Amino acid sequence: MRSIILKFLKKASPKLNFWGYNPYITIANVKGMRFFKKDLKEIEEQLHGDKQFPVTKLFPMLIDKNAEGGTLSGHYFHQDLLIAKRVFSNKPIKHVDIGSRTDGFVAHVACFREIEVFDIRPMQNKIENIKFIQADFMRLKPEMLNYTDSISCLHAIEHFGLGRYGDPIDAYGHLKGLQTIYNVLKKGGKFYFSTPIGKQRIEFNAHRVFNVEYLLSLIKNKYAVERFSYVDDMGDLHENVSLDNEVAVKKNFGCNYGCGIFEMTKL
């Protein structure tokens, strides 16, 4: 019976989440009420009328007790840390980022150098070492040709043209975005690129998922792949993996929704 319920919840969760309901959180909260009542009674007994820190209201946080002490896995954690370290090591003259996570990768890089961030969405905050430019990278501005010797686009190209972030609908937006990046990057420059990998598909309007063979066909004759890493479906990083294994490439390294991370040099 329990397995049937779990299968139902797994299938229904995306639709329920759309309406703001997460069944897993509900189950965790119901379970958590047991220790919440017990813990509340214990702390009230310990305070024993102490007026310095009165319990003025209840604010139940019932999920954290059994959770791990932070998240050290997943696409964003691994890619942001890995590529920030590579930028630090390579010390480019200028580093430009296209649409990557500002509270992850961009913040990491801004700790040790200036970074120019291009995004189709506006950004109001002014932060030291972060220069923001609002732009649609599906279209190249002539003044951007051969603009930089180092560029990153982490977990962003899969969104181009799907309208999720206010961008115009374009079924081939990912191709236009990659071509713009190629034109912006100087010959011999570094391109740090990541995107979801698995069976090729569009999950509208969230993202695309690319098979590795297709990505390699887009890169061919344009870049030399210096390193390839990936994050598997469990959120674990596999660093500096060979792309010579044709079977693994065809099977997308066993990923249904993984993250391929490419470190490349423009030919």
Side-chain angles (χ1 to χ4, degrees):
M1 184 66 180
R2 185 171 176 235
S3 62
I4 295 173
I5 293 172
L6 288 173
K7 285 181 182 178
F8 170 77
L9 290 176
K10 187 175 181 180
K11 189 174 181 179
S13 282
K15 294 178 181 177
L16 294 172
N17 285 338
F18 176 79
W19 297 107
Y21 174 63
N22 188 319
Y24 291 103
I25 291 178
T26 301
I27 292 169
N29 283 339
V30 170
K31 290 180 178 179
M33 285 306 297
R34 301 172 190 167
F35 71 75
F36 179 77
K37 291 177 181 178
K38 176 178 173 293
D39 290 354
L40 175 62
K41 181 180 179 182
E42 186 173 347
I43 200 165
E44 286 179 332
E45 288 175 351
Q46 290 177 7
L47 287 169
H48 195 61
D50 189 337
K51 302 298 183 183
Q52 292 187 79
F53 285 97
V55 178
T56 58
K57 69 174 184 178
L58 301 183
F59 193 157
M61 300 296 290
L62 308 179
I63 298 174
D64 299 334
K65 186 183 282 282
N66 297 314
E68 292 187 3
T71 302
L72 298 177
S73 66
H75 295 196
Y76 290 99
F77 175 82
H78 287 302
Q79 70 170 21
D80 293 353
L81 184 58
L82 178 64
I83 301 305
K85 289 192 292 185
R86 297 299 297 153
V87 173
F88 179 81
S89 297
N90 288 326
K91 297 179 173 57
I93 296 169
K94 180 195 290 285
H95 185 77
V96 167
D97 180 76
I98 315 302
S100 302
R101 185 169 169 169
T102 53
D103 60 349
F105 173 73
V106 172
H108 294 345
V109 174
C111 287
F112 59 85
R113 64 166 296 132
E114 184 178 271
I115 179 172
E116 290 187 15
V117 177
F118 288 78
D119 200 297
I120 198 165
R121 298 166 294 179
M123 184 186 298
Q124 304 301 328
N125 294 350
K126 306 293 182 183
I127 305 295
E128 185 181 0
N129 272 352
I130 300 175
K131 181 182 179 183
F132 176 76
I133 301 105
Q134 188 173 5
D136 179 359
F137 243 67
M138 289 188 288
R139 295 168 176 81
L140 176 68
K141 293 182 178 180
E143 64 270 22
M144 293 292 292
L145 193 65
N146 296 320
Y147 180 74
T148 184
D149 62 320
S150 182
I151 198 164
S152 54
C153 184
L154 306 182
H155 234 300
I157 205 73
E158 67 269 18
H159 305 301
F160 281 36
L162 297 186
R164 176 176 172 179
Y165 295 109
D167 45 318
I169 297 296
D170 190 328
Y172 304 100
H174 63 293
L175 296 177
K176 293 176 181 177
L178 287 170
Q179 186 60 48
T180 299
I181 290 170
Y182 180 80
N183 292 334
V184 166
L185 185 62
K186 294 178 180 179
K187 185 177 180 179
K190 299 290 185 182
F191 178 25
Y192 306 97
F193 172 56
S194 77
T195 196
I197 58 172
K199 183 179 179 181
Q200 196 144 291
R201 61 196 188 270
I202 292 175
E203 298 182 347
F204 193 78
N205 65 348
H207 49 241
R208 297 175 183 83
V209 180
F210 303 97
N211 71 51
V212 178
E213 279 189 306
Y214 176 76
L215 291 173
L216 291 175
S217 74
L218 300 181
I219 292 165
K220 189 178 180 181
N221 300 325
K222 289 186 173 183
Y223 299 97
V225 180
E226 307 294 342
R227 294 166 180 249
F228 171 75
S229 305
Y230 72 93
V231 180
D232 63 26
D233 289 353
M234 299 301 292
D236 296 324
L237 176 67
H238 302 260
E239 193 170 350
N240 204 14
V241 176
S242 173
L243 287 167
D244 293 334
N245 187 332
E246 293 183 9
V247 175
V249 168
K250 282 184 178 295
K251 292 183 177 180
N252 301 304
F253 295 91
C255 296
N256 176 58
Y257 185 73
C259 179
I261 308 168
F262 296 83
E263 303 172 47
M264 302 178 285
T265 299
K266 181 176 176 179
L267 298 173

